[in-house]
Each structure stands twice: as structure tokens, then as C-alpha cells.
Amino acid sequence: MDRIILLSNSTHSITKYIVSDEYIRRCNDLNKVTPLSISEYLESGAKVRLTLMSSESIFDDQLVPVCSNVQSDGKWAWSSDLIHYTKHHYFQWPEGFYKHVKGMNYMAPKISSDQSAQIHDLFHYALHFSEDKKKIEIEEIFL
């Protein structure tokens, strides 16, 4: 199952990172620990799209949220199950994400309901390329 990370570059341009199970397996290193500040940042991101579904981890039988759960800090948006893989399996985020988090002093900002709705729409558009939405340039990067 692919997971999605979005970076909003502008109102008309996003970078869509497509995260494969294979990439997550390559990142897996139980001897390394993700800094707590990164995990806390991810967990504190605003929930912009929620479901009640769950899926088993690709490494064990732990239940984790599925891709349709999305969190965001207003600039980046991520599938909530990536929090699990970050905390427990040393998932490696795009370098720009780490720079962004550091620039935010490891504190995810609160986002307004309007921002949340915009992020929800962007995520939906990036997943479905809906023709009824305005045209947005999407750069896809496969991890």
C-alpha cells in the first residue's frame, strides 16, 4: 500500500511523495531511534481528514491508522500511519521536511479550519486528479 506525503510549494504547485512499503522496509533500523521531537511534531499536526479504519503494520501485527488519515502543519501533509513507522521503524522523511521542522522549532503550528479544508482538498486532488478542481502542478517523487 502506498502512502502519501505532500509538500505545498504554492497555491498552484505541490510535491507528492509516494511512499512504498519497500521504501519503509529499507528504512527499517531497530538499532536507531527517531528523535522524540520529530515524533511529537508529527503527532501534533492538525488532523485534516479522518477515518475509523486501521491496518496492520508491514513489520508486525500492530494496528496503525490507514492512509486516509491525514495530518498537516499547513505546509506538509502526511498519512498518519507514517507516524508509526517514524517512531518504531526509523522511517526517513524527505530532507526538506527535517529542515522545515527545525525551522519551526519542532512545534507544529495550529492551522485554521479554512487551511484544514484547503489541505484536505489538495490531498484529495493529489490522490484523484479531479477534473473539476483548478489545475495544480504536481511533481511526483517515488520513495
Tab-separated table of all heavy atoms in Angstrom, residues 17-52:
chain	number	residue	atom	x	y	z
A	17	TYR	N	5.067	13.026	-2.561
A	17	TYR	CA	5.977	11.919	-2.296
A	17	TYR	C	5.141	10.653	-2.153
A	17	TYR	O	4.225	10.605	-1.329
A	17	TYR	CB	6.775	12.158	-1.018
A	17	TYR	CG	7.707	13.341	-1.093
A	17	TYR	CD1	7.286	14.608	-0.728
A	17	TYR	CD2	9.019	13.181	-1.538
A	17	TYR	CE1	8.146	15.705	-0.804
A	17	TYR	CE2	9.886	14.265	-1.613
A	17	TYR	CZ	9.436	15.516	-1.245
A	17	TYR	OH	10.291	16.594	-1.317
A	18	ILE	N	5.436	9.651	-2.946
A	18	ILE	CA	4.710	8.390	-2.898
A	18	ILE	C	5.609	7.389	-2.192
A	18	ILE	O	6.702	7.064	-2.667
A	18	ILE	CB	4.339	7.928	-4.315
A	18	ILE	CG1	3.470	9.006	-4.985
A	18	ILE	CG2	3.624	6.579	-4.270
A	18	ILE	CD1	3.352	8.881	-6.464
A	19	VAL	N	5.168	6.945	-1.028
A	19	VAL	CA	5.985	6.107	-0.152
A	19	VAL	C	5.532	4.658	-0.272
A	19	VAL	O	4.424	4.317	0.111
A	19	VAL	CB	5.861	6.578	1.311
A	19	VAL	CG1	6.747	5.739	2.216
A	19	VAL	CG2	6.173	8.059	1.442
A	20	SER	N	6.395	3.819	-0.786
A	20	SER	CA	6.064	2.404	-0.950
A	20	SER	C	6.408	1.611	0.313
A	20	SER	O	7.227	2.040	1.130
A	20	SER	CB	6.844	1.823	-2.134
A	20	SER	OG	8.227	1.807	-1.829
A	21	ASP	N	5.785	0.444	0.446
A	21	ASP	CA	6.145	-0.460	1.542
A	21	ASP	C	7.629	-0.809	1.468
A	21	ASP	O	8.305	-0.918	2.487
A	21	ASP	CB	5.325	-1.749	1.474
A	21	ASP	CG	3.886	-1.567	1.912
A	21	ASP	OD1	3.543	-0.492	2.446
A	21	ASP	OD2	3.098	-2.517	1.715
A	22	GLU	N	8.130	-0.995	0.258
A	22	GLU	CA	9.547	-1.356	0.079
A	22	GLU	C	10.463	-0.268	0.640
A	22	GLU	O	11.472	-0.563	1.281
A	22	GLU	CB	9.855	-1.605	-1.400
A	22	GLU	CG	11.289	-2.009	-1.654
A	22	GLU	CD	11.739	-3.241	-0.876
A	22	GLU	OE1	10.931	-4.160	-0.646
A	22	GLU	OE2	12.916	-3.271	-0.469
A	23	TYR	N	10.121	1.005	0.413
A	23	TYR	CA	10.936	2.100	0.964
A	23	TYR	C	10.919	2.045	2.492
A	23	TYR	O	11.957	2.197	3.140
A	23	TYR	CB	10.438	3.462	0.467
A	23	TYR	CG	11.204	4.607	1.070
A	23	TYR	CD1	12.472	4.948	0.602
A	23	TYR	CD2	10.680	5.344	2.126
A	23	TYR	CE1	13.195	5.987	1.167
A	23	TYR	CE2	11.391	6.387	2.696
A	23	TYR	CZ	12.641	6.701	2.216
A	23	TYR	OH	13.354	7.721	2.785
A	24	ILE	N	9.752	1.809	3.067
A	24	ILE	CA	9.645	1.727	4.530
A	24	ILE	C	10.494	0.574	5.047
A	24	ILE	O	11.203	0.709	6.045
A	24	ILE	CB	8.169	1.592	4.969
A	24	ILE	CG1	7.405	2.877	4.620
A	24	ILE	CG2	8.076	1.305	6.463
A	24	ILE	CD1	5.917	2.782	4.822
A	25	ARG	N	10.464	-0.552	4.360
A	25	ARG	CA	11.298	-1.696	4.772
A	25	ARG	C	12.794	-1.358	4.700
A	25	ARG	O	13.570	-1.749	5.565
A	25	ARG	CB	10.993	-2.913	3.906
A	25	ARG	CG	9.693	-3.593	4.247
A	25	ARG	CD	9.501	-4.877	3.441
A	25	ARG	NE	8.183	-5.417	3.655
A	25	ARG	CZ	7.149	-5.230	2.838
A	25	ARG	NH1	7.284	-4.527	1.737
A	25	ARG	NH2	5.979	-5.753	3.116
A	26	ARG	N	13.191	-0.610	3.660
A	26	ARG	CA	14.609	-0.227	3.545
A	26	ARG	C	15.027	0.722	4.668
A	26	ARG	O	16.180	0.719	5.085
A	26	ARG	CB	14.877	0.430	2.187
A	26	ARG	CG	14.895	-0.557	1.036
A	26	ARG	CD	15.483	0.036	-0.235
A	26	ARG	NE	15.021	1.356	-0.582
A	26	ARG	CZ	14.020	1.624	-1.431
A	26	ARG	NH1	13.354	0.644	-2.006
A	26	ARG	NH2	13.684	2.874	-1.698
A	27	CYS	N	14.102	1.554	5.135
A	27	CYS	CA	14.415	2.488	6.230
A	27	CYS	C	14.520	1.781	7.572
A	27	CYS	O	15.209	2.252	8.467
A	27	CYS	CB	13.318	3.553	6.356
A	27	CYS	SG	13.243	4.739	5.015
A	28	ASN	N	13.841	0.666	7.712
A	28	ASN	CA	13.720	-0.013	8.997
A	28	ASN	C	15.083	-0.292	9.614
A	28	ASN	O	15.914	-0.967	9.025
A	28	ASN	CB	12.948	-1.321	8.820
A	28	ASN	CG	12.656	-1.998	10.139
A	28	ASN	OD1	12.396	-1.343	11.135
A	28	ASN	ND2	12.687	-3.306	10.136
A	29	ASP	N	15.301	0.258	10.789
A	29	ASP	CA	16.530	0.019	11.532
A	29	ASP	C	16.179	0.096	13.016
A	29	ASP	O	16.056	1.184	13.577
A	29	ASP	CB	17.598	1.058	11.175
A	29	ASP	CG	18.954	0.716	11.783
A	29	ASP	OD1	18.995	-0.028	12.794
A	29	ASP	OD2	19.955	1.214	11.260
A	30	LEU	N	16.001	-1.049	13.612
A	30	LEU	CA	15.580	-1.094	15.016
A	30	LEU	C	16.688	-0.663	15.966
A	30	LEU	O	16.452	-0.493	17.157
A	30	LEU	CB	15.074	-2.492	15.369
A	30	LEU	CG	13.853	-2.959	14.560
A	30	LEU	CD1	13.471	-4.371	14.966
A	30	LEU	CD2	12.683	-2.005	14.737
A	31	ASN	N	17.901	-0.473	15.453
A	31	ASN	CA	19.010	-0.009	16.299
A	31	ASN	C	19.088	1.512	16.349
A	31	ASN	O	19.896	2.063	17.084
A	31	ASN	CB	20.333	-0.580	15.783
A	31	ASN	CG	20.387	-2.081	15.929
A	31	ASN	OD1	19.979	-2.622	16.944
A	31	ASN	ND2	20.857	-2.761	14.899
A	32	LYS	N	18.283	2.182	15.537
A	32	LYS	CA	18.276	3.645	15.540
A	32	LYS	C	16.974	4.133	16.144
A	32	LYS	O	15.953	3.444	16.092
A	32	LYS	CB	18.417	4.195	14.118
A	32	LYS	CG	19.766	3.904	13.503
A	32	LYS	CD	19.882	4.555	12.139
A	32	LYS	CE	21.243	4.293	11.523
A	32	LYS	NZ	21.335	4.897	10.178
A	33	VAL	N	17.011	5.312	16.697
A	33	VAL	CA	15.833	5.899	17.330
A	33	VAL	C	15.573	7.259	16.702
A	33	VAL	O	16.475	8.087	16.594
A	33	VAL	CB	16.044	6.048	18.860
A	33	VAL	CG1	14.851	6.708	19.509
A	33	VAL	CG2	16.333	4.695	19.489
A	34	THR	N	14.328	7.483	16.285
A	34	THR	CA	13.941	8.787	15.775
A	34	THR	C	13.862	9.751	16.951
A	34	THR	O	13.293	9.407	17.992
A	34	THR	CB	12.567	8.703	15.083
A	34	THR	OG1	12.678	7.789	13.991
A	34	THR	CG2	12.112	10.053	14.585
A	35	PRO	N	14.424	10.955	16.815
A	35	PRO	CA	14.313	11.930	17.916
A	35	PRO	C	12.855	12.157	18.305
A	35	PRO	O	11.981	12.272	17.437
A	35	PRO	CB	14.933	13.199	17.332
A	35	PRO	CG	15.821	12.723	16.228
A	35	PRO	CD	15.157	11.492	15.671
A	36	LEU	N	12.610	12.202	19.599
A	36	LEU	CA	11.264	12.400	20.107
A	36	LEU	C	10.641	13.677	19.546
A	36	LEU	O	9.440	13.735	19.278
A	36	LEU	CB	11.292	12.441	21.642
A	36	LEU	CG	9.946	12.510	22.352
A	36	LEU	CD1	9.071	11.320	21.980
A	36	LEU	CD2	10.152	12.554	23.853
A	37	SER	N	11.456	14.707	19.308
A	37	SER	CA	10.932	15.977	18.798
A	37	SER	C	10.268	15.793	17.430
A	37	SER	O	9.263	16.444	17.142
A	37	SER	CB	12.051	17.016	18.711
A	37	SER	OG	13.133	16.525	17.942
A	38	ILE	N	10.780	14.902	16.592
A	38	ILE	CA	10.171	14.649	15.282
A	38	ILE	C	8.848	13.921	15.460
A	38	ILE	O	7.827	14.288	14.866
A	38	ILE	CB	11.122	13.831	14.367
A	38	ILE	CG1	12.410	14.596	14.088
A	38	ILE	CG2	10.413	13.426	13.081
A	38	ILE	CD1	12.250	15.850	13.246
A	39	SER	N	8.824	12.877	16.278
A	39	SER	CA	7.589	12.128	16.530
A	39	SER	C	6.509	13.022	17.117
A	39	SER	O	5.350	12.960	16.708
A	39	SER	CB	7.857	10.956	17.480
A	39	SER	OG	8.775	10.063	16.920
A	40	GLU	N	6.884	13.845	18.077
A	40	GLU	CA	5.912	14.751	18.699
A	40	GLU	C	5.385	15.762	17.689
A	40	GLU	O	4.202	16.097	17.699
A	40	GLU	CB	6.538	15.461	19.896
A	40	GLU	CG	6.762	14.536	21.073
A	40	GLU	CD	7.513	15.199	22.222
A	40	GLU	OE1	8.169	16.242	22.014
A	40	GLU	OE2	7.441	14.649	23.337
A	41	TYR	N	6.267	16.254	16.816
A	41	TYR	CA	5.839	17.192	15.780
A	41	TYR	C	4.788	16.534	14.889
A	41	TYR	O	3.728	17.107	14.623
A	41	TYR	CB	7.042	17.633	14.948
A	41	TYR	CG	6.727	18.728	13.952
A	41	TYR	CD1	6.911	20.063	14.302
A	41	TYR	CD2	6.251	18.439	12.682
A	41	TYR	CE1	6.628	21.083	13.405
A	41	TYR	CE2	5.956	19.441	11.782
A	41	TYR	CZ	6.148	20.760	12.142
A	41	TYR	OH	5.855	21.765	11.258
A	42	LEU	N	5.073	15.329	14.433
A	42	LEU	CA	4.139	14.622	13.567
A	42	LEU	C	2.799	14.383	14.250
A	42	LEU	O	1.741	14.583	13.657
A	42	LEU	CB	4.744	13.284	13.132
A	42	LEU	CG	5.940	13.369	12.199
A	42	LEU	CD1	6.650	12.028	12.120
A	42	LEU	CD2	5.507	13.839	10.822
A	43	GLU	N	2.852	13.956	15.511
A	43	GLU	CA	1.615	13.682	16.248
A	43	GLU	C	0.798	14.938	16.506
A	43	GLU	O	-0.421	14.869	16.617
A	43	GLU	CB	1.942	12.985	17.564
A	43	GLU	CG	2.429	11.568	17.365
A	43	GLU	CD	2.884	10.901	18.639
A	43	GLU	OE1	3.341	11.610	19.573
A	43	GLU	OE2	2.808	9.662	18.686
A	44	SER	N	1.460	16.081	16.605
A	44	SER	CA	0.733	17.315	16.918
A	44	SER	C	0.189	18.018	15.679
A	44	SER	O	-0.499	19.023	15.795
A	44	SER	CB	1.633	18.277	17.707
A	44	SER	OG	2.704	18.730	16.890
A	45	GLY	N	0.480	17.488	14.492
A	45	GLY	CA	-0.074	18.076	13.275
A	45	GLY	C	-1.589	18.017	13.298
A	45	GLY	O	-2.192	17.093	13.855
A	46	ALA	N	-2.204	19.010	12.697
A	46	ALA	CA	-3.668	19.070	12.655
A	46	ALA	C	-4.215	17.898	11.848
A	46	ALA	O	-3.670	17.522	10.815
A	46	ALA	CB	-4.110	20.385	12.023
A	47	LYS	N	-5.288	17.314	12.341
A	47	LYS	CA	-5.955	16.234	11.620
A	47	LYS	C	-6.908	16.866	10.615
A	47	LYS	O	-7.850	17.530	10.996
A	47	LYS	CB	-6.676	15.327	12.601
A	47	LYS	CG	-5.706	14.556	13.474
A	47	LYS	CD	-6.393	13.859	14.624
A	47	LYS	CE	-5.414	13.111	15.488
A	47	LYS	NZ	-4.423	13.952	16.149
A	48	VAL	N	-6.620	16.650	9.328
A	48	VAL	CA	-7.427	17.291	8.291
A	48	VAL	C	-8.356	16.312	7.585
A	48	VAL	O	-9.254	16.733	6.858
A	48	VAL	CB	-6.551	18.029	7.250
A	48	VAL	CG1	-5.795	19.152	7.904
A	48	VAL	CG2	-5.598	17.088	6.548
A	49	ARG	N	-8.144	15.054	7.791
A	49	ARG	CA	-9.023	14.037	7.201
A	49	ARG	C	-8.935	12.800	8.069
A	49	ARG	O	-7.848	12.291	8.320
A	49	ARG	CB	-8.569	13.718	5.785
A	49	ARG	CG	-9.440	12.732	5.065
A	49	ARG	CD	-8.962	12.587	3.630
A	49	ARG	NE	-9.656	11.460	3.024
A	49	ARG	CZ	-9.377	11.006	1.838
A	49	ARG	NH1	-8.432	11.566	1.121
A	49	ARG	NH2	-10.033	9.982	1.350
A	50	LEU	N	-10.072	12.329	8.553
A	50	LEU	CA	-10.061	11.207	9.484
A	50	LEU	C	-10.969	10.081	9.022
A	50	LEU	O	-12.009	10.319	8.429
A	50	LEU	CB	-10.535	11.656	10.870
A	50	LEU	CG	-9.717	12.752	11.546
A	50	LEU	CD1	-10.393	13.193	12.824
A	50	LEU	CD2	-8.324	12.254	11.840
A	51	THR	N	-10.561	8.858	9.310
A	51	THR	CA	-11.411	7.688	9.127
A	51	THR	C	-11.277	6.828	10.376
A	51	THR	O	-10.412	7.068	11.213
A	51	THR	CB	-10.994	6.850	7.905
A	51	THR	OG1	-9.702	6.317	8.167
A	51	THR	CG2	-10.987	7.664	6.635
A	52	LEU	N	-12.093	5.830	10.464
A	52	LEU	CA	-12.025	4.932	11.610
A	52	LEU	C	-11.381	3.593	11.247
A	52	LEU	O	-11.494	2.637	11.972
A	52	LEU	CB	-13.436	4.695	12.163
A	52	LEU	CG	-14.140	5.948	12.665
A	52	LEU	CD1	-15.563	5.610	13.104
A	52	LEU	CD2	-13.368	6.578	13.813
